Amino acid sequence: MKNNLLQIVILVTLFLVFHIAVPGTPDMLPFSPQFQQAPPFLEVDTTWVDSVMKQLSLEEQIAQMIMVQAYSNMGETHQKEIARLISRYHVGGIAFFQGDPVSQAILTNRYQDASEVPLLVAIDGENGLGMRLDSTIRYPSQMALGAITDNALIYQLGGDMARQMKRLGVHMNLAPVADVNNNPANPVINTRSFGEDPDQVAAKVVALMRGMQDGGLLVAAKHFPGHGDTGADSHHALPVVPYGRERLDSLELYPFREAILSGLTGIMVAHLQVPALDARENRPATVSDRMVTGVLKDELGFRGLVITDALNMKGLSKYFEPGEREVEAVIAGNDILLMPSDVGKAITEIKRAVRRGEISVERINESCRKILLAKQWTGLNLPVSVEMASLTEDLNHPDYKANHRELIAHTLTLARDRDSILPLSHLEDMKLATVTISRKGMEHVGATSDLYLTGDHFTLPSRAARQEQERLIEKLKGYNTIIVNIWNTSSYASRRYGITDETVRFVEALHPLIRDNPQARLVLNVAGTPYALARFVNLDHVGAMILSFDDDPLYQEYTLQAIFGGRGFSGKLPVSGGEVVSAGDGIDTGPPVRLGYSSPLDAGLHPDTLVLMDTIIEEAIREKAMPGCQLLVARHGEVVWHRAYGHHTYQGKRPVELTDLYDLASITKITATLPSLMRLRDQGRFHEDSLMGSFPTVPDSSNKAGLRVGDILSHQSGLVPWIPFYYITLEPLDASQQLVSHNRSAQYPLKIGPSDWANRNVKYVDGVYDRAYSPDYPIQVAENLYLQTDYRDSLYRMLYDSELHDPEYHYSDLGYYMFQQVIEAETDTMLYPYAWYNFYAPMGAETMGFLPLNRFPAERIVPTENDIFFRRQLLRGHVHDMGAAMLGGISGHAGLFGNANDLAKMMQMYLNGGSYGGERFVDAATLETYTSCWDCENENRRGLGFDRPVTEEPDAGPACDDASASSFGHSGFTGCLTWADPENGLL
């Protein structure tokens, strides 16, 4: 029994040992030297290394330890000097700094050709190539990355960095920064650190390191033994880390230890004085055998490359002369001597130290061999040349950009949300203002926020005088939602993080405005470091506080989207912000609830495919199928293509803008009438199986009373397609011409026929229209054209008296005239206000609505037709459909205007199963019923109101063959079309 228990304990212990991992890192090994992974380059075949070692003299072996700095933007004199160092001293490596990728690649090939042993090329790319080179991607700072909760994204970033750098001929990245920045006043590390929590820093260091190394890139975690809690910059002085060994083990050394256990390939040693590890005065870690050999190699078991920090920095050069520094660094245990100020003197002095017995030949052999092993692991044992063709394009591959955008989206941190106001809700009650504070006070974010809700946008200089602030605050009293964006910040405490006293005063001066309005909401968005929040003392009036880290446009676009629910906040603060917020704070708002705006690859679509749409549209404009249009494509709730093309008219005077409105024609059916009917169905006041006669608006005597609602919605009730109601208001110019009737009842004879329309030889019937509004002529049909009041009733009488065809599929508008009356009777509200208050306003679909000239200038409304027959004018802002026009522009079948962006909100609501913006508009089961095929057995593809694809016949119906059977949408006579495919998440 005792033996069995002992076996169980041993098994459980072994299980725990092999499965304990640092949270968030991929496949982490347990924290124990017993399970330490060796740096992968130590495991390569040594044949090439052995052969090179035999050929190198002692001086050449020493030279392999030298890595010089190079620039690709400093001209021919500098380039010749680097080439001289290579040919004269046979240095082993180059660390590139500023320049551009093409120039660097050319120089890399030139320098490699000049070197007998392939050069190890490094770059100090903590944030990727973009930290040093133009025309490349600069990734978020490590502190911004520290806010990301999913370390798989950090690992993916490491892989992308590796592929980019390897493509450029770079073999080592002098990163990641493994310092724990727990000192807000740190002048040199600061935002270069992942944060102040050693566990989180360690997890992210390992994730980024593994991503790079799995991509075949050497790394150098820095700055050993830990530069995060210092008040001096080692570029200019020698910082002191005054803490005891227990503190160092639990904080400064911890991320390095975890990375070593995971097979770290390189560590950079800092110019730091750490008395607890080496009490000698002015003895930086870089030249301390007690720290490099004693702690790093012997205690922590590090077997990878040890790299000095730049040997020309004041933290070292102040105490050691050229040549002396390099000797001391080799004695300490460093393998790579980074950027010596005098290469020749460094090699000479090291060689003399060997002769004096201060450095053994074996010590040089050890470092040289290790460097050659690393070179072979990166592929330098084979012919090397950077391919120049498509270099910049490859470094900026769309996949890298998509991953970059994903990183930014996951950095955004909602540090505090006092009343759970984000994402913003109740848009229908909101009056929005944004204030952007920056050095020049010129920038604003209106373009993004207006996609969700049109607001007013103000700017304020960061040093605005009190009077200027007071004038703005007076203006802001008319708003109940205010977003304050603070840009142009700094990461340095010495600069007060770029937050001026004037900015602090302005934010605090908003307190009375928020206090005095119970509905008011204030959102503070700081585009900077969390430390900047310490500048604020009184933030009780701030409802939500956001850290967006950077005022780069993409960060700010995504932040505004997240404020409105177009994407989620998920970040956690990597450091504390004074007394205001603490490390680890951050609210996860969950998945998006409104449309987001991004790029095709982010939604799994290839941009090259979507560009084909441009070709089609350009041809259509060229062939005058249309003068212009708007096009929007969304997938999985992300708008990935939102463009305007062409002009309002063929005269080409006014380009189409994304904010312009179009006459949506029959799309009105599914975006005004249908959602209203579905809502009534959800309330038990309407049903597709009902007969029209069950509604009081339908006369019992009409042949429409016996029609089933579902048959009308699916266009198989026998209703005629349309009635040219406006014919009754026109007559031939030749009064003797015989009347023509198109009505089964001669009670409403039509005075003209098709031939008159074709010849356009007609005039208005006397007394039917007037040029101005009056109680007798209240119905505006077009500009300066008003219809007599009793013609509305005449129209409906004609409709209810019209004949019926056989009950088979025939598209008809007439049912929607009737449904408008049903909705208005059941809700005791006119169709337009009902749709506005129940759908458009809550969604922020502000351009959606009837009678657009009542709310928008004519210049924003695209004309539909130069009507030379009926209304005899260019139709701009007045409904194109004649029947809807005779009802004053509001009808159940036509009359709705809007732009593509707001139409997409309605359609995304349908794709979401009836919800949008966190609010449910239609029951999901109802929507499923209405978008499904109603009577497929009788070869009717239609749903209830919605059009659907033809699936049994190729190249037929309104959608392409690739559209899924569950897709739905509608078209409009004016040329508009909308289509949604739930199976593919496509809109």
Side-chain angles (χ1 to χ4, degrees):
M1 184 67 174
K2 290 181 179 179
N3 289 337
N4 289 339
L5 286 173
L6 182 60
Q7 289 174 348
I8 292 172
V9 170
I10 291 172
L11 286 173
V12 170
T13 302
L14 286 173
F15 177 85
L16 290 174
V17 166
F18 280 98
H19 288 81
I20 294 173
V22 175
T25 57
D27 305 319
M28 274 298 298
L29 285 176
F31 172 68
S32 171
Q34 180 181 354
F35 301 103
Q36 178 176 325
Q37 294 183 29
F41 67 81
L42 295 180
E43 301 173 355
V44 300
D45 179 82
T46 63
T47 303
W48 178 79
V49 174
D50 294 339
S51 66
V52 174
M53 285 291 292
K54 291 177 182 178
Q55 300 172 27
L56 297 179
S57 66
L58 175 63
E59 182 172 315
E60 289 170 334
Q61 288 189 27
I62 295 170
Q64 283 297 302
M65 300 172 66
I66 302 290
M67 181 174 282
V68 297
Q69 68 185 111
Y71 296 80
S72 58
N73 62 353
M74 288 186 64
E76 186 64 25
T77 300
H78 170 74
Q79 296 168 19
K80 287 181 177 179
E81 173 59 18
I82 300 301
R84 186 188 72 83
L85 294 175
I86 294 170
S87 60
R88 169 66 179 85
Y89 296 108
H90 309 290
V91 296
I94 296 175
F96 273 106
F97 287 83
Q98 284 79 14
D100 69 90
V102 172
S103 298
Q104 179 169 316
I106 292 171
L107 289 176
T108 298
N109 288 340
R110 173 181 171 183
Y111 296 153
Q112 291 287 17
D113 289 343
S115 182
E116 295 181 8
V117 178
L119 295 163
L120 185 67
V121 179
I123 197 165
D124 188 6
E126 297 165 15
N127 309 126
L129 291 174
M131 181 176 174
R132 300 296 177 184
L133 307 177
D134 61 27
S135 307
T136 55
I137 299 171
R138 184 184 180 110
Y139 291 103
S141 68
Q142 283 196 191
M143 184 165 286
L145 296 174
I148 296 176
T149 57
D150 183 1
N151 285 341
L153 295 175
I154 308 299
Y155 176 83
Q156 176 180 272
L157 168 61
D160 285 354
M161 283 183 175
R163 284 182 284 275
Q164 292 162 341
M165 292 182 182
K166 295 282 282 186
R167 175 66 181 86
L168 187 58
V170 174
H171 317 106
M172 170 180 274
N173 189 10
L174 303 178
V177 174
D179 303 316
V180 180
N181 199 91
N182 59 341
N183 184 345
N186 193 319
V188 62
I189 303 303
N190 209 307
T191 58
R192 298 166 65 194
S193 165
F194 282 120
E196 69 179 46
D197 184 319
D199 286 318
Q200 290 297 322
V201 171
K204 285 179 168 55
V205 165
V206 170
L208 187 58
M209 173 265 295
R210 280 190 164 177
M212 288 190 279
Q213 291 186 177
D214 287 354
L217 190 72
L218 297 164
V219 305
K222 60 189 183 184
H223 306 82
F224 181 86
H227 208 326
D229 194 358
T230 61
D233 183 347
S234 54
H235 292 83
H236 309 293
L238 179 59
V240 178
V241 180
Y243 305 105
R245 184 59 192 265
E246 183 176 351
R247 149 69 189 261
L248 293 171
D249 284 337
S250 63
L251 197 144
E252 277 83 1
L253 293 174
Y254 182 75
F256 294 100
R257 181 187 296 117
E258 294 302 311
I260 291 168
L261 289 174
S262 296
L264 180 65
T265 52
I267 280 182
M268 179 182 286
V269 183
H271 306 316
L272 295 172
Q273 185 172 354
V274 189
L277 301 180
D278 191 336
R280 288 175 289 179
E281 187 177 359
N282 298 328
R283 176 63 62 164
T286 332
V287 291
S288 168
D289 59 329
R290 300 175 190 177
M291 284 190 257
V292 176
T293 299
V295 176
L296 180 57
K297 291 184 174 182
D298 295 343
E299 292 186 27
L300 299 183
F302 181 60
R303 299 168 59 199
L305 292 169
V306 183
I307 305 126
T308 69
D309 207 340
L311 294 171
N312 56 9
M313 291 165 59
K314 293 294 185 182
L316 179 67
S317 63
K318 184 177 180 180
Y319 306 103
F320 296 89
E321 294 297 322
E324 181 188 9
R325 308 168 196 165
E326 290 76 19
V327 169
E328 292 291 336
V330 174
I331 292 173
N334 292 279
D335 299 305
I336 294 179
L337 308 176
L338 182 63
M339 296 162 50
S341 56
D342 187 329
V343 171
K345 193 165 189 177
I347 294 174
T348 299
E349 291 303 321
I350 293 171
K351 196 160 81 168
R352 286 175 179 171
V354 172
R355 290 173 179 163
R356 292 195 301 267
E358 297 173 9
I359 300 173
S360 68
V361 172
E362 290 75 21
R363 170 73 191 84
I364 302 299
N365 289 342
E366 176 192 350
S367 289
C368 181
R369 184 176 185 80
K370 197 188 297 184
I371 291 166
L372 292 175
L373 287 168
K375 288 184 176 184
Q376 179 172 342
W377 182 76
T378 65
L380 281 169
N381 58 313
L382 302 173
V384 291
S385 181
V386 181
E387 173 60 49
M388 300 303 301
S390 304
L391 175 62
T392 303
E393 291 82 356
D394 291 347
L395 296 178
N396 292 278
H397 191 278
D399 287 343
Y400 298 145
K401 292 185 175 181
N403 293 341
H404 180 210
R405 290 189 294 270
E406 186 177 19
L407 285 170
I408 291 174
H410 282 79
T411 65
L412 305 180
T413 303
L414 178 57
R416 191 173 77 182
D417 192 359
R418 188 183 59 199
D419 299 317
S420 300
I421 65 174
L422 297 187
L424 292 174
S425 59
H426 302 295
L427 302 187
E428 67 274 21
D429 300 324
M430 188 180 299
K431 187 165 176 54
L432 172 69
T434 70
V435 180
T436 301
I437 302 175
S438 64
R439 279 194 292 270
K440 295 181 180 180
M442 298 297 291
E443 305 89 343
H444 65 75
V445 294
T448 299
S449 61
D450 284 349
L451 292 168
Y452 296 94
L453 183 73
T454 301
D456 294 319
H457 309 290
F458 305 95
T459 59
L460 190 70
S462 55
R463 295 194 178 277
R466 188 181 298 273
Q467 293 84 352
E468 186 176 359
Q469 292 187 9
E470 290 173 352
R471 285 195 296 269
L472 178 54
I473 290 173
E474 187 64 29
K475 294 178 182 178
L476 293 175
K477 289 181 179 179
Y479 301 87
N480 60 17
T481 304
I482 302 170
I483 301 171
V484 176
N485 307 291
I486 300 178
W487 292 3
N488 303 142
T489 62
S490 169
S491 60
Y492 297 109
S494 60
R495 299 176 186 173
R496 295 185 295 181
Y497 305 109
I499 309 292
T500 64
D501 292 341
E502 292 87 348
T503 296
V504 173
R505 183 166 58 244
F506 174 77
V507 172
E508 293 181 349
L510 293 173
H511 193 180
L513 189 151
I514 303 301
R515 179 196 60 207
D516 297 341
N517 182 354
Q519 306 302 318
R521 299 178 286 190
L522 176 60
V523 178
L524 180 64
N525 165 34
V526 179
T529 167
Y531 296 136
L533 294 179
R535 291 281 289 126
F536 299 95
V537 177
N538 178 17
L539 290 177
D540 292 341
H541 59 299
V542 175
M545 188 162 48
I546 297 162
L547 262 295
S548 54
F549 292 98
D550 198 306
D551 52 27
D552 176 87
L554 190 57
Y555 287 80
Q556 296 309 304
E557 288 172 19
Y558 280 8
T559 299
L560 265 294
Q561 290 182 37
I563 287 173
F564 283 94
R567 55 186 66 249
F569 286 105
S570 62
K572 303 289 184 182
L573 291 179
V575 297
S576 300
E579 301 297 322
V580 179
V581 289
S582 301
D585 287 354
I587 299 167
D588 190 331
T589 58
V593 295
R594 293 190 178 96
L595 284 169
Y597 298 82
S598 197
S599 298
L601 279 174
D602 301 345
L605 298 173
H606 200 283
D608 290 349
T609 303
L610 297 184
V611 167
L612 295 175
M613 298 185 297
D614 286 351
T615 304
I616 296 170
I617 290 171
E618 287 163 4
E619 180 181 0
I621 292 173
R622 186 171 59 252
E623 297 297 326
K624 296 197 173 180
M626 59 182 177
C629 68
Q630 295 169 0
L631 174 63
L632 184 148
V633 178
R635 191 176 189 216
H636 303 318
E638 291 273 347
V639 175
V640 298
W641 203 268
H642 189 201
R643 298 189 178 183
Y645 303 82
H647 296 81
H648 279 212
T649 66
Y650 292 113
Q651 282 69 41
K653 294 181 179 179
R654 183 178 179 86
V656 175
E657 303 288 346
L658 291 176
T659 53
D660 292 339
L661 284 73
Y662 279 84
D663 181 341
L664 300 181
S666 284
I667 291 178
T668 303
K669 295 180 173 71
I670 66 165
T671 51
T673 304
L674 201 60
S676 302
L677 293 177
M678 289 190 285
R679 171 159 287 200
L680 290 173
R681 183 190 193 269
D682 292 341
Q683 296 169 350
R685 302 158 69 185
F686 179 85
H687 200 276
E688 58 274 8
D689 288 329
S690 300
L691 299 180
M692 290 300 294
S694 64
F695 301 104
T697 54
V698 180
D700 293 338
S701 60
S702 172
N703 57 5
K704 313 304 182 297
L707 299 182
R708 187 170 60 150
V709 166
D711 290 334
I712 296 175
L713 287 171
S714 59
H715 300 281
Q716 60 179 25
S717 65
L719 290 171
V720 297
W722 78 304
I723 298 173
F725 298 112
Y726 69 108
Y727 278 13
I728 64 173
T729 70
L730 303 172
E731 63 183 3
L733 289 172
D734 183 357
S736 65
Q737 199 166 342
Q738 186 176 357
L739 301 181
V740 179
S741 176
H742 288 275
N743 195 312
R744 71 181 184 91
S745 168
Q747 184 178 1
Y748 308 104
L750 304 182
K751 298 179 179 295
I752 65 169
S755 62
D756 298 303
W757 188 92
N759 296 326
R760 300 183 176 87
N761 55 343
V762 298
K763 66 176 183 177
Y764 296 132
V765 175
D766 289 343
V768 173
Y769 294 102
D770 201 347
R771 292 184 58 81
Y773 169 86
S774 70
D776 293 330
Y777 293 89
I779 304 170
Q780 186 171 18
V781 176
E783 187 176 0
N784 300 323
L785 190 65
Y786 292 83
L787 181 64
Q788 197 180 79
T789 183
D790 58 0
Y791 269 79
R792 188 193 302 269
D793 294 336
S794 299
L795 183 150
Y796 270 103
R797 282 195 295 270
M798 291 176 67
L799 186 156
Y800 284 117
D801 289 346
S802 64
E803 62 189 4
L804 290 175
H805 292 163
D806 292 335
E808 56 186 25
Y809 175 62
H810 287 291
Y811 183 84
S812 174
D813 284 341
L814 299 189
Y816 287 83
Y817 287 86
M818 296 187 287
F819 288 139
Q820 177 185 359
Q821 290 187 312
V822 170
I823 292 165
E824 293 178 346
E826 289 294 323
T827 63
D828 195 26
T829 309
M830 302 301 288
L831 174 63
Y832 182 15
Y834 185 79
W836 173 260
Y837 287 109
N838 285 285
F839 299 100
Y840 312 145
M843 291 183 188
E846 295 176 298
T847 64
M848 297 285 281
F850 298 86
L851 309 177
L853 289 170
N854 291 349
R855 297 190 296 132
F856 300 97
E859 293 76 18
R860 279 188 59 185
I861 306 170
V862 179
T864 53
E865 180 189 12
N866 186 16
D867 183 358
I868 60 176
F869 177 69
F870 173 32
R871 285 153 288 193
R872 304 169 189 177
Q873 60 185 263
L874 181 70
L875 295 177
R876 184 194 291 270
H878 294 285
V879 61
H880 180 276
D881 183 89
M882 300 81 160
M886 293 179 68
L887 291 175
I890 301 175
S891 179
H893 74 291
L896 194 67
F897 284 72
N899 61 30
N901 186 58
D902 285 345
L903 175 58
K905 296 171 186 176
M906 283 291 298
M907 296 301 295
Q908 189 64 42
M909 180 268 287
Y910 292 145
L911 272 179
N912 292 348
S915 65
Y916 188 79
E919 183 175 346
R920 177 153 295 283
F921 293 91
V922 179
D923 186 82
T926 298
L927 193 60
E928 175 69 22
T929 298
Y930 276 58
T931 56
S932 299
C933 189
W934 175 248
D935 193 5
C936 286
E937 294 180 359
N938 290 318
E939 299 182 355
N940 181 353
R941 71 173 187 265
R942 294 269 177 169
L944 295 176
F946 293 101
D947 200 358
R948 301 181 71 260
V950 172
T951 56
E952 65 279 357
E953 182 182 349
D955 300 324
C960 68
D961 296 340
D962 292 325
S964 75
S966 63
S967 66
F968 58 87
H970 214 283
S971 59
F973 186 77
T974 55
C976 302
L977 181 135
T978 181
W979 206 260
D981 191 340
E983 188 173 310
N984 294 302
L986 191 65
L987 171 59

